[in-house]
Amino acid sequence: MRADIVGSLEAVTRVRGVRGAMVVSAEEGLVVAESSMEGIDGAAVAALMAGVVARLGRATEAAGRTAPAFVHLQAEGGALLAVPAPRDLLVVAVTDAEVNVGLVRLELRQAAEQLA
Amino acid sequence: MRVIEPWVAEPLQRFLSESSARLVLLTTASGQVVAQHGFTRALDVMSASALGAAIMASTEELGRLTASGASRALSHQGPSRGLFLSAFDLPQGRWIGLVVYDRDSSLGLVRLFFDRLVQELLAVAPKETPAREVLAADFENELNASLRSLFGR
């Protein structure tokens, strides 16, 4: 099972400009699996990204909308992308500024589907 | 937030604002309270500190018995609130942190910011003070003084 998860993450990290990807438990904000996260504090990214996604979910719920299917945080040096997955998981990618966001989103969604 | 040791206040305040924790208790390994946030009754603080110290002592001994190594942190997820308990070492000796959080936070966030709290406490902690003999006559006075500091009365 874990090999499958890491395999699906490797498809994400193969996209040019992706520095790392991870599966995160959405409620606890803990790393379940990660791939190519050199130089990145995976535990911190997992905890903070899960917190952001949870708050966004509550905000959209309060606005009468469904939970976000894709979260894109664009920063000066790169981006954080997240897609909710079954079993209360999140698939998260850390990218450089120059990345094909559409392609990463596609790979994140495929990775999320494999976690079903 | 109430603290016995003034140098604990700033790092603890930062931890509270970053982690969104509901209840925090810092104690020595023997259960003497150093700081608290969120507790409204002295009895709750004394009970929680004694239980936290007992749990950490038990898990450390269990780790020793099973050769799995001493446990430094443990967590429990309840239906609406989670509990995080961790021991850490300062020049003053081993301390224990007890953190209760709800849906505004998560175990990952609490762990992340608790690690930072420990690093900040290590940076500001005074050099080790010489251990002094604890006299029975002093105990009640010190306990009452601590409770006054922790609850402002």
mmCIF file of all heavy atoms in Angstrom, chain A residues 92-112:
data_model
loop_
_atom_site.group_PDB
_atom_site.id
_atom_site.type_symbol
_atom_site.label_atom_id
_atom_site.label_comp_id
_atom_site.label_asym_id
_atom_site.label_seq_id
_atom_site.Cartn_x
_atom_site.Cartn_y
_atom_site.Cartn_z
ATOM 1 N N VAL A 92 -0.257 16.843 -1.574
ATOM 2 C CA VAL A 92 0.319 18.198 -1.586
ATOM 3 C C VAL A 92 1.580 18.207 -2.448
ATOM 4 O O VAL A 92 2.381 17.272 -2.392
ATOM 5 C CB VAL A 92 0.668 18.646 -0.151
ATOM 6 C CG1 VAL A 92 1.348 20.003 -0.145
ATOM 7 C CG2 VAL A 92 -0.585 18.675 0.721
ATOM 8 N N ALA A 93 1.751 19.263 -3.221
ATOM 9 C CA ALA A 93 2.983 19.433 -4.003
ATOM 10 C C ALA A 93 3.612 20.778 -3.670
ATOM 11 O O ALA A 93 2.915 21.776 -3.487
ATOM 12 C CB ALA A 93 2.681 19.357 -5.501
ATOM 13 N N VAL A 94 4.932 20.780 -3.579
ATOM 14 C CA VAL A 94 5.705 22.015 -3.384
ATOM 15 C C VAL A 94 6.437 22.268 -4.696
ATOM 16 O O VAL A 94 7.169 21.387 -5.173
ATOM 17 C CB VAL A 94 6.717 21.862 -2.233
ATOM 18 C CG1 VAL A 94 7.470 23.166 -2.004
ATOM 19 C CG2 VAL A 94 6.026 21.412 -0.955
ATOM 20 N N THR A 95 6.238 23.440 -5.277
ATOM 21 C CA THR A 95 6.789 23.677 -6.613
ATOM 22 C C THR A 95 7.629 24.956 -6.668
ATOM 23 O O THR A 95 7.533 25.822 -5.799
ATOM 24 C CB THR A 95 5.658 23.808 -7.667
ATOM 25 O OG1 THR A 95 5.073 25.116 -7.546
ATOM 26 C CG2 THR A 95 4.604 22.745 -7.507
ATOM 27 N N ASP A 96 8.425 25.048 -7.709
ATOM 28 C CA ASP A 96 9.112 26.300 -8.024
ATOM 29 C C ASP A 96 8.104 27.275 -8.631
ATOM 30 O O ASP A 96 6.964 26.893 -8.946
ATOM 31 C CB ASP A 96 10.240 26.040 -9.027
ATOM 32 C CG ASP A 96 11.351 25.198 -8.405
ATOM 33 O OD1 ASP A 96 11.545 25.295 -7.182
ATOM 34 O OD2 ASP A 96 12.004 24.447 -9.153
ATOM 35 N N ALA A 97 8.560 28.507 -8.846
ATOM 36 C CA ALA A 97 7.642 29.502 -9.412
ATOM 37 C C ALA A 97 7.268 29.153 -10.853
ATOM 38 O O ALA A 97 6.122 29.342 -11.271
ATOM 39 C CB ALA A 97 8.286 30.884 -9.343
ATOM 40 N N GLU A 98 8.250 28.635 -11.587
ATOM 41 C CA GLU A 98 7.991 28.309 -12.992
ATOM 42 C C GLU A 98 7.574 26.852 -13.095
ATOM 43 O O GLU A 98 8.413 25.970 -13.207
ATOM 44 C CB GLU A 98 9.264 28.543 -13.823
ATOM 45 C CG GLU A 98 9.793 29.970 -13.761
ATOM 46 C CD GLU A 98 8.797 30.985 -14.301
ATOM 47 O OE1 GLU A 98 8.129 30.678 -15.317
ATOM 48 O OE2 GLU A 98 8.680 32.062 -13.695
ATOM 49 N N VAL A 99 6.298 26.607 -13.034
ATOM 50 C CA VAL A 99 5.817 25.227 -13.130
ATOM 51 C C VAL A 99 4.489 25.230 -13.877
ATOM 52 O O VAL A 99 3.752 26.219 -13.860
ATOM 53 C CB VAL A 99 5.650 24.625 -11.706
ATOM 54 C CG1 VAL A 99 4.493 25.256 -10.964
ATOM 55 C CG2 VAL A 99 5.483 23.113 -11.746
ATOM 56 N N ASN A 100 4.232 24.125 -14.550
ATOM 57 C CA ASN A 100 2.957 23.977 -15.251
ATOM 58 C C ASN A 100 1.906 23.540 -14.224
ATOM 59 O O ASN A 100 1.780 22.354 -13.909
ATOM 60 C CB ASN A 100 3.109 22.927 -16.367
ATOM 61 C CG ASN A 100 1.843 22.771 -17.181
ATOM 62 O OD1 ASN A 100 0.746 23.071 -16.710
ATOM 63 N ND2 ASN A 100 2.000 22.311 -18.413
ATOM 64 N N VAL A 101 1.174 24.516 -13.682
ATOM 65 C CA VAL A 101 0.231 24.240 -12.597
ATOM 66 C C VAL A 101 -0.861 23.265 -13.045
ATOM 67 O O VAL A 101 -1.271 22.376 -12.286
ATOM 68 C CB VAL A 101 -0.394 25.552 -12.067
ATOM 69 C CG1 VAL A 101 -1.488 25.267 -11.043
ATOM 70 C CG2 VAL A 101 0.685 26.434 -11.444
ATOM 71 N N GLY A 102 -1.298 23.404 -14.281
ATOM 72 C CA GLY A 102 -2.355 22.525 -14.793
ATOM 73 C C GLY A 102 -1.917 21.072 -14.799
ATOM 74 O O GLY A 102 -2.677 20.170 -14.408
ATOM 75 N N LEU A 103 -0.667 20.851 -15.218
ATOM 76 C CA LEU A 103 -0.154 19.478 -15.261
ATOM 77 C C LEU A 103 0.005 18.914 -13.851
ATOM 78 O O LEU A 103 -0.332 17.748 -13.591
ATOM 79 C CB LEU A 103 1.183 19.458 -16.010
ATOM 80 C CG LEU A 103 1.808 18.088 -16.266
ATOM 81 C CD1 LEU A 103 0.841 17.169 -16.991
ATOM 82 C CD2 LEU A 103 3.109 18.236 -17.060
ATOM 83 N N VAL A 104 0.510 19.752 -12.939
ATOM 84 C CA VAL A 104 0.663 19.285 -11.547
ATOM 85 C C VAL A 104 -0.701 18.956 -10.956
ATOM 86 O O VAL A 104 -0.881 17.933 -10.290
ATOM 87 C CB VAL A 104 1.372 20.349 -10.678
ATOM 88 C CG1 VAL A 104 1.515 19.850 -9.236
ATOM 89 C CG2 VAL A 104 2.737 20.682 -11.244
ATOM 90 N N ARG A 105 -1.677 19.793 -11.233
ATOM 91 C CA ARG A 105 -3.031 19.542 -10.721
ATOM 92 C C ARG A 105 -3.554 18.201 -11.219
ATOM 93 O O ARG A 105 -4.135 17.419 -10.459
ATOM 94 C CB ARG A 105 -3.953 20.676 -11.166
ATOM 95 C CG ARG A 105 -5.384 20.463 -10.775
ATOM 96 C CD ARG A 105 -6.283 21.549 -11.293
ATOM 97 N NE ARG A 105 -7.685 21.194 -11.085
ATOM 98 C CZ ARG A 105 -8.677 22.005 -11.256
ATOM 99 N NH1 ARG A 105 -8.473 23.239 -11.632
ATOM 100 N NH2 ARG A 105 -9.913 21.619 -11.056
ATOM 101 N N LEU A 106 -3.325 17.931 -12.501
ATOM 102 C CA LEU A 106 -3.764 16.662 -13.081
ATOM 103 C C LEU A 106 -3.116 15.484 -12.365
ATOM 104 O O LEU A 106 -3.791 14.512 -11.983
ATOM 105 C CB LEU A 106 -3.402 16.642 -14.570
ATOM 106 C CG LEU A 106 -3.940 15.475 -15.398
ATOM 107 C CD1 LEU A 106 -5.453 15.533 -15.491
ATOM 108 C CD2 LEU A 106 -3.320 15.493 -16.792
ATOM 109 N N GLU A 107 -1.805 15.590 -12.150
ATOM 110 C CA GLU A 107 -1.097 14.483 -11.475
ATOM 111 C C GLU A 107 -1.539 14.348 -10.016
ATOM 112 O O GLU A 107 -1.631 13.234 -9.495
ATOM 113 C CB GLU A 107 0.426 14.697 -11.551
ATOM 114 C CG GLU A 107 1.009 14.613 -12.951
ATOM 115 C CD GLU A 107 0.924 13.214 -13.564
ATOM 116 O OE1 GLU A 107 0.535 12.261 -12.857
ATOM 117 O OE2 GLU A 107 1.217 13.086 -14.762
ATOM 118 N N LEU A 108 -1.801 15.479 -9.370
ATOM 119 C CA LEU A 108 -2.276 15.426 -7.974
ATOM 120 C C LEU A 108 -3.628 14.726 -7.891
ATOM 121 O O LEU A 108 -3.878 13.898 -7.005
ATOM 122 C CB LEU A 108 -2.383 16.840 -7.391
ATOM 123 C CG LEU A 108 -1.080 17.547 -7.025
ATOM 124 C CD1 LEU A 108 -1.357 18.998 -6.624
ATOM 125 C CD2 LEU A 108 -0.356 16.836 -5.880
ATOM 126 N N ARG A 109 -4.499 15.041 -8.833
ATOM 127 C CA ARG A 109 -5.837 14.421 -8.822
ATOM 128 C C ARG A 109 -5.735 12.927 -9.094
ATOM 129 O O ARG A 109 -6.443 12.133 -8.467
ATOM 130 C CB ARG A 109 -6.750 15.101 -9.828
ATOM 131 C CG ARG A 109 -7.076 16.526 -9.445
ATOM 132 C CD ARG A 109 -8.076 17.158 -10.344
ATOM 133 N NE ARG A 109 -9.406 16.569 -10.150
ATOM 134 C CZ ARG A 109 -10.526 17.114 -10.582
ATOM 135 N NH1 ARG A 109 -10.487 18.255 -11.251
ATOM 136 N NH2 ARG A 109 -11.684 16.558 -10.370
ATOM 137 N N GLN A 110 -4.842 12.551 -10.012
ATOM 138 C CA GLN A 110 -4.665 11.109 -10.284
ATOM 139 C C GLN A 110 -4.104 10.397 -9.058
ATOM 140 O O GLN A 110 -4.523 9.283 -8.729
ATOM 141 C CB GLN A 110 -3.755 10.917 -11.495
ATOM 142 C CG GLN A 110 -4.489 11.214 -12.796
ATOM 143 C CD GLN A 110 -3.645 10.991 -14.039
ATOM 144 O OE1 GLN A 110 -2.455 10.703 -13.933
ATOM 145 N NE2 GLN A 110 -4.258 11.139 -15.200
ATOM 146 N N ALA A 111 -3.148 11.065 -8.377
ATOM 147 C CA ALA A 111 -2.595 10.475 -7.156
ATOM 148 C C ALA A 111 -3.675 10.334 -6.091
ATOM 149 O O ALA A 111 -3.741 9.310 -5.396
ATOM 150 C CB ALA A 111 -1.452 11.352 -6.634
ATOM 151 N N ALA A 112 -4.543 11.340 -6.009
ATOM 152 C CA ALA A 112 -5.638 11.283 -5.026
ATOM 153 C C ALA A 112 -6.591 10.137 -5.336
ATOM 154 O O ALA A 112 -7.045 9.429 -4.424
ATOM 155 C CB ALA A 112 -6.368 12.616 -5.001
#
